[in-house]
Amino acid sequence: VQLQASGGGLVQAGGSLSLSCTASRSPISAYVMGWFRQAPGKEREFVATISRAGVRTYYGDSVKGRFTISRDNAKNMVYLQMTRLKPSDTAVYYCAARASVTGATYSGQYEYTDWGQGTQVTVSS
């Protein structure tokens, strides 16, 4: 599956931003989807994941309660709604996919096989 993240930008602390991930070449209904982020000089960090049918979600501790992952399999899209943004949320955000036959979710970056180009999110203080 080919992935393309979009929707990044510059936002003030406390604001909101919504990211989209557009998939092509394969239906994402067969994939567990995830969002990761990487800040300069830091390791790639898990943000959120959603199961194939969207029944299960799981979030990294640093974004729990502020970010929401969702998906629309009919549109082949995955979303990340980010609220109450902090300067520490500044990073390049990536969407990722992993083929699955179960309703599981995955939080490890090495569990994902397909990655899109990232989109920059900058939160100013």
Side-chain angles (χ1 to χ4, degrees):
V1 63
Q2 189 170 10
L3 304 171
Q4 178 64 56
S6 61
L10 174 64
V11 64
Q12 287 189 330
S16 300
L17 205 59
S18 184
L19 304 183
S20 298
C21 177
T22 303
S24 58
R25 295 189 179 176
S26 297
I28 63 166
S29 56
Y31 293 83
V32 176
M33 302 298 296
W35 285 97
F36 291 78
R37 67 186 183 186
Q38 189 166 19
K42 294 189 176 181
E43 296 289 319
R44 188 166 293 185
E45 177 188 14
F46 165 71
V47 175
T49 179
I50 187 167
S51 61
R52 289 173 53 195
V55 174
R56 294 182 183 177
T57 58
Y58 181 67
Y59 297 90
D61 288 342
S62 61
V63 306
K64 203 172 296 183
R66 300 188 298 120
F67 291 11
T68 303
I69 188 171
S70 61
R71 65 191 296 161
D72 186 334
N73 287 347
K75 295 182 178 179
N76 242 26
M77 298 281 292
V78 180
Y79 308 97
L80 185 68
Q81 178 66 36
M82 305 184 293
T83 65
R84 290 182 282 144
L85 283 161
K86 306 174 182 180
S88 56
D89 293 318
T90 295
V92 177
Y93 284 71
Y94 300 89
C95 59
R98 171 204 164 109
S100 176
V101 297
T102 72
T105 56
Y106 300 93
S107 60
Q109 61 172 314
Y110 299 110
E111 297 177 293
Y112 288 83
T113 56
D114 300 275
W115 293 81
Q117 290 182 317
T119 185
Q120 176 71 47
V121 172
T122 303
V123 184
S124 63
S125 56

